[in-house]
Amino acid sequence: MVRSGEEPRPAGRATNGTGPASLRELFLQGEPVEAGVRTSILNSWQRCRSLGLSPDTLDLPYREDFDASGRIVRAAVPVLDRLQSTFAGSQVNISVADVNGTVLLRRFGDPSMARSLPAIQVVPGFVFAEQVAGTNGIGLALAERQLIRVYGAEHFAQRSQQNACVAMPVRDPLSGRIEGVLCLGYPRTFERPALGVAIRRAAEGIERRLLGQSSAREQALLRRYLATGAGTAGPRRGMALDALANQFHPRDQEILRATAAELISGAQRGAVEVTLPDGRRVTLVSRPVTSGSGVRGFAIEALLPDFPVGEPLVIPHQTDELSGPGAFAAALSAKRPALTLPAGHLTASSRPVVPPDGDGATAGPGGTDGLRAATGAESAVPLRAATGAESAVPTDGDPPPAVRGAADHPPSVAAGGGSEDAFPARGLVMLGEPQVGAYALAARRRLELLSEASTRIGTTLDVRRTAEELAETAVPGLADFVTIDLPDAVLRGEESADPLADLRRTVVHGIREGLPFTPAGKRIDFGPATPQLRCLSSGEAVLEPDLKAAEGWLSQDPEPTARLLAHVHSLIAVPLLARGVVLGVACFYRAEGSFGDDDRSLAQELASRAALSVDNARRYTHERTMVLALQRRLLPHGLPDQDAVEVAHRYLPAESDVGGDWYDVIPLPGARVGLLVGDVVGHGMLSAATMGRLRTAARSFAELDFPPDEVLTHLDNLVGRLDREDPDGKGAGVIGATCLYAVYDAAAQTCLMARAGHPPPALVRPDGTVTYPDLPAGPPLGLGGLPFDAVEVGLPEGSQLVLYTDGLIEDRHRDVDVVLEQLREALAHPGRAPEETCQAVLDTVAPAHPHDDIALLVARVHALDPDRIATWELPADPALVGEIRTSAVRWLSGRGLEETGFAAELILSELITNAVRHGAEPIRVRLLHDRSLICEVSDASNTAPHLRRAASTDEGGRGLFLVAQLSQSWGTRYLPEGKVIWAECGLDAV
């Protein structure tokens, strides 16, 4: 079960080597456990380990100087007494600690527990702060500042493994400051969902007592309210705030409290019907209360005609008094409790609520507007709540209908002697003096909104999303509607040359839809006298309390703006400025009531914070665009023409940043092709630039016809050298890279592969079988000094070789083995073309929101027709050169290559003669008829020929010069034993 505001939790006991116990042991051994431990617990464990705490030797300090009669103690004693009665006979241990974690009070459901438990669990004065006691309920509730549950092995101390606890901070209702912690400890087997309900209500009871200690004037008002029997007709069936919390969504509770605060701060007597988002209606009644000493205030009561109440409300004589142990017993047995409502203060609102005049009471301070004397007028005045619901409230001095229905019943019925449906459930929602503490509480709400803004705005590096977060934060705490306009250049990540003429509606957000605002995505032009243009020109927020009187408001777009005036009343236009750059304009609208100077200051602060986040997102977008452009420029723009493989490729950049993934296809002599895939560690401009250097170097090494293992060795040396050349010596350079290089030979239908810390390729056979060749992993590039091994595998024609980077298969939310199996299933379709295979892999295997770049290369191999291959082997005898030359010319003529025969004859003559004179047996000659004619002569010697310019007096040294002139290209390829000298001729050579 997961309750609102709480984290999901694993099971409380370890079974079969799983659960919190094994996870805790893994953590203590240094193993990663993030996936199985709640965030709050893991954070606490990490803090405990950083403090050097030992789970076996935790000795709690004891303080003799703790305050046993302080404010929190006085407020908690009656509540703990009732909790002890509620849990009588159980193994529940009840405690209250101060803000330092020092236990001040102890209670036990079973008094005998005090004789069997150790002193630290019985005697007040022991300190349970996290820094000395490790992970526990009291310490963690203080650290996390919220309701906390700790189960069994989640405790850091070994001695607490068999226990569980739930703890909740207790706050001063006015200041919001934590005064202490209430904690319920129990055996793990006693876990009940109702424990969370019980501790919440008990904490609220302590907070009500703290509130009572804070305001003697409010105490006097409440005593006067209670002394009158909560109304003029005696005790009534009641509804409590806790019951309200069980029946209504927290959003609905806030609506009721906000409306009650408006009634108190407006010093108005009356009633208002509040329509909640789910359609239910709640009537709030406001009536004046005057204490014996002359303190004047207002009590707000809630009437719920459809709310079922099981027993009459017992009016307490103290502001903090609960309804007794029966309420908690009812909670534990899943019955609805009947607790009284707390008294409290909320921020005053400037929105007027028109009250009826009743018993001749006059408005309190600040509430004279809209009040009437008792004139006997019979007209009905509409009354609008914060939600916009209206109800007709008579002004003839009688209570409104809902109030009259409750007040007209005799006390005997109200006390429970009659039908339960005789009158609605009724209880105190709020009581306070008009304007007393309103400014302080308003400031607190402003701070809360700014605190919320600091956590909600700027969670991503996306310009649009950041603008949306500003609007979502401001509605409904500050405004009813928000529009944000940004220049197109800012949305692209650039600075706008003329932000006043380049604005586009980016965000429209409000408490409801359908208003005639310019829709998102449209260009918008503000007139010269509009508040928006004035704020952009001055750089300061512009407040328009009444838009109907605003200068230039209608000039921007008269028709839709005039329609908008039927829905909005007041406006604050704020420029979005950051680091001297104009990023746009935010407009805050209020449907009813007017903004004030305090609202303008708050809007300015919100916009300033949001502007910095927008600018950060803009800068990031600009940098990412440049890095992505650089990387795409460094990647291949097209595939070379060759017949050995049919290739398709994809490159998908990460959502958050651009990395250093690359791929390449390199035609090689001898009807071969090289396939490269690599990944530079890190992200950003440095990784993209390094990727370009490595790709260029890898291509150069491959074109020198080095085997795959030697190519990786050269790249390894290069990466190590780049690291050593780091100019500042702080490791800002390249950390490393991974690479996979494969060379496919279409004549032999084999593939030679080697990898350096890279994921293995996938091999799809023509029959649909998918395997991952067992290649030696090799170290990542940059470590240096370690060898790489190459493995040769056979590839029948029609096979597919799939190369990819780790971004395709590695994701923090997925298991690699599972992803590899998904990749196997996606590739098990040999009939697909490479393009279709690429798309299928990205659709089924790639993560929805990749955190790393993905490079994918799919190659379907083709075999060279054996009829296009001619091979001869001869001993080192110069007399046989002519025979081979004649046979080669005859073979070429049989295939219609007579025009190429002359050049091929001279090339073969020179290459075979050199092999006979300077090489070693065996000597082999091979002709390959592909897109060109390739002449190859191999021998067992490792001596390399060199092209040189022969002097006029030299008798030799001109053979390779002739070969270079007659061929398109020539070179040397080394074998494990010997070498191959090759030359490539165009088919139109003469």
Side-chain angles (χ1 to χ4, degrees), residues 410-493:
S412 60
V413 177
S419 170
E420 291 186 1
D421 298 328
F423 48 81
R426 180 175 181 175
L428 180 63
V429 175
M430 190 178 300
L431 185 147
E433 292 182 78
Q435 308 303 327
V436 174
Y439 289 108
L441 293 175
R444 177 183 164 194
R445 277 199 168 181
R446 291 165 61 87
L447 291 175
E448 290 175 349
L449 184 60
L450 291 175
S451 176
E452 180 184 2
S454 66
T455 58
R456 292 187 60 180
I457 300 176
T459 59
T460 68
L461 288 172
D462 180 83
V463 174
R464 293 181 186 273
R465 181 56 194 150
T466 303
E468 291 171 356
E469 289 170 345
L470 168 59
E472 292 168 359
T473 303
V475 175
L478 173 63
D480 296 325
F481 304 95
V482 175
T483 64
I484 300 177
D485 308 311
L486 303 177
D488 285 332
V490 172
L491 295 173
R492 296 192 302 267

Side-chain angles (χ1 to χ4, degrees), residues 95 113 141 245 268 297 401 477 513 575 587 590 662 749 829 864 866 888 896 931 939:
S95 59
M113 294 174 61
Q268 298 167 347
E513 299 179 355
C587 296
R590 185 168 285 176
W662 90 90
Q749 298 184 46
H829 301 276
L864 188 62
R931 289 175 175 262
D939 65 80

